[in-house]
């Protein structure tokens, strides 16, 4: 399954930047984009591991439950 790297706009729309076959390639791309394009908004670039682009968008769009009390407190 591929890794999908998305750019998230201010109105929460996802646009595909690149599809990568390897995790390291996708991770390095995310770091590079975050450092160069939006250092004040770390959520502007996201990566998802899924079978298709559509499934990756759904994963990033769904509201997740906090996995720990600390995350719940921060939200």
């Amino acid at each position: 399954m591929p890794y999908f790297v998305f750019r998230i706009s201010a109105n929460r729309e996802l646009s595909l930047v690149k599809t990568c076959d390897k995790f390291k390639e996708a991770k390095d791309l995310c770091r590079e984009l975050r450092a160069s394009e939006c250092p004040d908004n770390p959520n502007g670039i996201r990566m998802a591991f899924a079978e298709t682009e559509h499934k990756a968008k759904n994963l990033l769009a769904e509201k997740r439950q906090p996995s720990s009390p600390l995350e719940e407190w921060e939200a």
Side-chain angles (χ1 to χ4, degrees):
M1 283 193 303
Y3 294 88
F4 296 93
V5 178
F6 292 96
R7 179 175 285 114
I8 303 175
S9 66
N11 59 353
R12 305 285 301 154
E13 288 188 25
L14 299 167
S15 59
L16 182 65
V17 175
K18 187 175 180 184
T19 303
C20 303
D21 291 326
K22 299 186 186 255
F23 173 75
K24 182 168 177 14
E25 179 186 356
K27 179 180 74 169
D28 291 343
L29 177 61
C30 287
R31 285 183 177 171
E32 178 184 316
L33 292 171
R34 287 176 182 146
S36 66
E37 295 181 10
C38 53
D40 58 333
N41 182 10
N43 294 324
I45 302 294
R46 297 285 306 271
M47 173 178 48
F49 180 65
E51 293 176 2
T52 65
E53 180 181 347
H54 180 71
K55 288 182 180 182
K57 284 183 176 183
N58 287 343
L59 284 172
L60 293 177
E62 71 184 23
K63 180 79 171 151
R64 294 185 346 188
Q65 294 295 323
S67 62
S68 72
L70 181 58
E71 284 184 16
E72 188 173 310
W73 178 76
E74 290 176 343

